[in-house]
Amino acid sequence: MSEAKPLVELCKGVNGLDKIVLREVRGSSAEVYLYGGQVTSWKNDLGEELLFVSSKAIFKPPKAIRGGIPICFPQFSNHGNLEKHGFARNRFWSIDPDPPPFPTATLDKAFVDLILRPSEEDNKTWPNSHEFRLRVTLGPGGDLMLTSRIRNTNTDGKAFSFTFAYHTYFSVSDISEVRIEGLETLDYLDNLHEKERFTEQGDAITFESEVDKVYLSTPNKIAILDHEKKRTFVLRKEGLPDAVVWNPWDKKAKAIADLGDDDYKHMLCVEAAAIEKPITLKPGEEWKGRLELSAVPSSYCSGQLDPQREQAMDAGDI
């Protein structure tokens, strides 16, 4: 019998960057880099990778890592005057030695608490004192949970506003064989048409060309069905009303230096976000944004998921 590996392990990743490996006893795992506070791997108990990371990803600061779950804060994309997607994804985070208690008792053992505090450089471009705490948890069934807590620590009485996204890259077998359920009939801002507002049709969303949309007032549960792999990703979210759907398709993929020409076929970004209405915090106030990802066999259609679980999520018990 080989010795059991630890549930939480700090080790070196690509280019010597520090990463934390989370393991669950049944075999699932996740990896989180301190650079960006970024999840770069999430594997099920069969060892299958569920997140996409570009074949040309550059694990070298100050470049953001292309793939996994980059955190967009305090600005999503170009919705403001900061660098695209803000600075959280290309800063070094620290392991939080003394995280505040979570409101619900948890049986989850495989988790890590990270903290990001602004540097002098950040204070020049975005002069708002804050603390960003992130907990990444691998649940007993292999579910992946990210909880962000952002607090305004300004002492001058000044409120601040921000936009936010978990820029999740899902690994899919073939983008043309994937559909999304849960966003039908909703309004969206189309980034390919200067953020003009449209209304989605009544059918599940499928892909045959470039897509870059921000869906508004979205449900707390979205399903991504991968027909070829007979797998469904279920995205549950809290505190994040919007959902971004992005795939660059072939021409745009060729223009992105750290993305392989054919990578677009095997990735899909569905991002829990707060974009249309920025979050505003007064001094001392805290915002919480939570993402839970699970992967289930596709015999589970999105409408057949456990209703009790949905009620518990809606009640904030999970």
Side-chain angles (χ1 to χ4, degrees):
M1 291 285 288
S2 61
E3 192 176 326
K5 290 185 175 178
L7 298 179
V8 182
E9 182 182 12
L10 176 64
C11 53
K12 295 293 182 186
V14 180
N15 292 335
L17 294 172
D18 287 327
K19 69 176 180 180
I20 295 103
V21 181
L22 305 177
R23 297 185 182 91
E24 198 276 316
V25 288
R26 278 172 260 183
S28 57
S29 67
E31 296 185 1
V32 191
Y33 274 73
L34 291 184
Y35 180 60
Q38 187 161 328
V39 177
T40 57
S41 174
W42 170 41
K43 292 180 180 177
N44 62 16
D45 53 10
L46 300 175
E48 296 169 329
E49 182 58 68
L50 303 172
L51 296 177
F52 167 88
V53 173
S54 168
S55 59
K56 292 184 175 179
I58 300 164
F59 286 76
K60 204 167 185 180
K63 180 72 181 167
I65 300 167
R66 171 79 61 188
I69 311 180
I71 290 174
C72 303
F73 169 85
Q75 176 183 298
F76 175 76
S77 187
N78 55 1
H79 289 247
N81 53 14
L82 299 177
E83 60 190 288
K84 186 177 180 181
H85 288 323
F87 50 71
R89 66 186 185 142
N90 51 17
R91 296 292 182 271
F92 282 96
W93 295 54
S94 305
I95 293 175
D96 191 351
D98 187 27
F102 266 59
T104 50
T106 177
L107 298 173
D108 302 323
K109 302 289 192 296
F111 64 87
V112 64
D113 286 292
L114 302 181
I115 188 166
L116 178 67
R117 291 190 175 97
S119 65
E120 285 184 26
E121 183 188 341
D122 299 332
N123 282 329
K124 286 175 187 169
T125 56
W126 198 66
N128 296 296
S129 179
H130 65 279
E131 286 182 345
F132 187 151
R133 285 185 157 91
L134 171 68
R135 174 173 284 195
V136 181
T137 303
L138 188 65
D143 292 358
L144 183 66
M145 289 156 277
L146 285 77
T147 304
S148 289
R149 294 191 290 182
I150 296 166
R151 179 177 291 276
N152 181 339
T153 55
N154 277 334
T155 55
D156 58 4
K158 195 172 67 165
F160 64 69
S161 299
F162 61 89
T163 50
F164 181 96
Y166 291 114
H167 197 313
T168 309
Y169 288 75
F170 291 96
S171 173
V172 298
S173 53
D174 179 348
I175 186 63
S176 61
E177 296 290 323
V178 172
R179 74 177 195 266
I180 300 176
E181 294 186 357
L183 302 176
E184 303 86 344
T185 72
L186 296 181
D187 283 2
Y188 64 87
L189 307 177
D190 194 334
N191 291 322
L192 302 181
H193 292 89
E194 298 180 343
K195 302 186 178 74
E196 192 177 339
R197 192 177 183 121
F198 297 94
T199 300
E200 189 55 74
Q201 303 303 307
D203 301 325
I205 296 162
T206 55
F207 299 90
E208 51 192 29
S209 60
E210 182 184 356
V211 175
D212 189 355
K213 297 175 179 178
V214 179
Y215 289 86
L216 309 173
S217 303
T218 59
N220 286 337
K221 186 191 73 183
I222 299 166
I224 302 153
L225 289 78
D226 186 334
H227 300 292
E228 203 168 297
K229 283 191 175 156
K230 296 184 169 58
R231 175 188 294 148
T232 297
F233 292 110
V234 182
L235 181 159
R236 293 179 176 87
K237 58 190 178 63
E238 211 175 273
L240 296 157
D242 304 324
V244 181
V245 176
W246 179 64
N247 184 289
W249 220 251
D250 53 351
K251 285 181 185 171
K252 186 74 64 74
K254 286 186 173 73
I256 298 173
D258 60 347
L259 192 67
D261 287 356
D262 289 331
D263 277 357
Y264 77 93
K265 295 176 182 176
H266 308 295
M267 58 158 276
L268 174 61
C269 289
V270 181
E271 312 166 31
I275 297 168
E276 186 194 25
K277 295 171 183 167
I279 308 294
T280 299
L281 295 178
K282 296 173 186 166
E285 286 186 336
E286 183 179 82
W287 169 84
K288 183 169 89 168
R290 192 165 169 284
L291 172 67
E292 179 181 340
L293 303 177
S294 51
V296 297
S298 275
S299 52
Y300 279 51
C301 284
S302 56
Q304 296 174 329
L305 292 160
D306 183 352
Q308 289 181 322
R309 184 185 179 86
E310 301 309 315
Q311 289 166 4
M313 182 77 180
D314 292 342
D317 296 337
I318 296 181

